[in-house]
Amino acid sequence: NAGVTQTPKFRVLKTGQSMTLLCAQDMNHEYMYWYRQDPGMGLRLIHYSVGEGTTAKGEVPDGYNVSRLKKQNFLLGLESAAPSQTSVYFCASSTGDSGANVLTFGAGSRLTVL
Amino acid sequence: GQNIDQPTEMTATEGAIVQINCTYQTSGFNGLFWYQQHAGEAPTFLSYNVLDGLEEKGRFSSFLSRSKGYSYLLLKELQMKDSASYLCAVLDSNYQLIWGAGTKLIIKP
C-alpha cells in the first residue's frame, strides 16, 4: 500500500511561473486536503475536498486552485507563484468520519519561489 | 479567534519521561489529536481524545481536560527515535482541524 503519494518532492520556481502539485491516494478515502507548513506556524489548510468532483476553500486559499476529477487524485495549482508561497506542502486524506477523522499525510513537497 | 498553544522546544534524556502540554481556545470542541512529525517527514497519527481522561498506548499516553482546555502527551522510556516534533490539533464545532505550531522534542543520550 503506497498510502498518499505527492509529486514532485522538490521544486524551484521563479516569481510568476505556474505549477501543479499532484496528490494520489490508494486507500479509497473520500476526503482529501492540501496544507502548507511554515516555520513557527501550525499546518494551515489551503483547500479540501469531501468527494470526487467537490472542492472547498480552507483557511488560506488565495493564490491556489484545486481539482478533484478522480476520487484518488487531488491537484493543487499555483497560477502565478509568489515568494510568499515558498513552503512545504502536504497532502492528506481521510475517511471523513466525523470525530476520529484520522489524516494520512503524504511525504510533502518543498516549493521554493525565487 | 482560535488558538492552540504548545511549547516550542523541549529537551529530555534517553530513558526518562517527558510531558508535552497543549492548551486550546476554539469555537467548540469535537476532539483533540496528537501527531508525530520527524524532521523532513510527514506527520503521523499518535492519539485521539474526545472524552476527559487518559488514553494509554504503549509508551505514549494522552490526557484531556475539556473544562480546562488542556491536553498533554506523556512519553515514557524515551528513545532516541522519539526525537521529533509533536503536533496538537483540535477539531472545532465545524469539524475543522486547528493545528498548534508543534513542540520540537530533543532527546539527549
Side-chain angles (χ1 to χ4, degrees):
Chain A
N1 249 355
V4 179
T5 304
Q6 292 181 228
T7 52
K9 288 187 168 47
F10 301 93
R11 185 74 189 269
V12 178
L13 287 177
K14 294 181 179 178
T15 298
Q17 287 185 319
S18 63
M19 76 159 295
T20 301
L21 296 176
L22 172 64
C23 177
Q25 53 96 2
D26 61 3
M27 297 171 288
N28 202 35
H29 282 170
E30 287 295 331
Y31 284 40
M32 296 187 75
Y33 313 81
W34 275 106
Y35 284 94
R36 59 178 290 172
Q37 187 174 42
D38 300 293
M41 302 182 75
L43 287 163
R44 290 185 291 168
L45 183 63
I46 303 170
H47 286 279
Y48 65 100
S49 168
V50 301
E52 181 179 310
T54 75
T55 62
K57 293 181 180 179
E59 180 188 354
V60 288
D62 293 344
Y64 305 94
N65 55 75
V66 287
S67 64
R68 183 104 181 263
L69 298 179
K70 292 183 179 179
K71 185 176 183 179
Q72 62 268 34
N73 295 337
F74 195 30
L75 279 62
L76 178 71
L78 285 73
E79 290 186 348
S80 179
S84 61
Q85 294 178 304
T86 293
S87 188
V88 180
Y89 292 86
F90 285 100
C91 177
S93 70
S94 72
T95 59
D97 296 334
S98 61
N101 185 25
V102 175
L103 302 185
T104 301
F105 285 86
S109 299
R110 184 175 293 275
L111 175 66
T112 302
V113 183
L114 302 176
Chain B
Q2 309 207 84
N3 196 46
I4 310 281
D5 286 317
Q6 337 177 204
T8 303
E9 187 174 295
M10 298 181 70
T11 302
T13 305
E14 190 177 15
I17 299 173
V18 71
Q19 178 176 310
I20 302 174
N21 295 326
C22 170
T23 58
Y24 62 89
Q25 299 97 39
T26 56
S27 55
F29 178 85
N30 280 302
L32 185 143
F33 295 81
W34 285 96
Y35 282 77
Q36 180 190 57
Q37 185 177 24
H38 286 101
E41 297 184 11
T44 56
F45 171 73
L46 284 178
S47 68
Y48 169 71
N49 294 69
V50 66
L51 299 176
D52 290 351
L54 189 69
E55 295 276 346
E56 297 187 76
K57 256 190 206 180
R59 294 189 299 115
F60 292 11
S61 304
S62 56
F63 172 82
L64 175 67
S65 169
R66 288 172 296 171
S67 62
K68 295 182 179 177
Y70 168 69
S71 172
Y72 66 74
L73 181 68
L74 191 71
L75 290 73
K76 301 177 186 176
E77 300 169 15
L78 285 170
Q79 302 175 10
M80 298 304 293
K81 67 178 182 179
D82 297 331
S83 292
S85 290
Y86 292 86
L87 314 181
C88 174
V90 172
L91 206 56
D92 70 9
S93 56
N94 294 319
Y95 290 94
Q96 297 291 326
L97 265 178
I98 311 300
W99 294 84
T103 299
K104 183 178 180 181
L105 178 63
I106 299 167
I107 310 296
K108 294 186 174 179

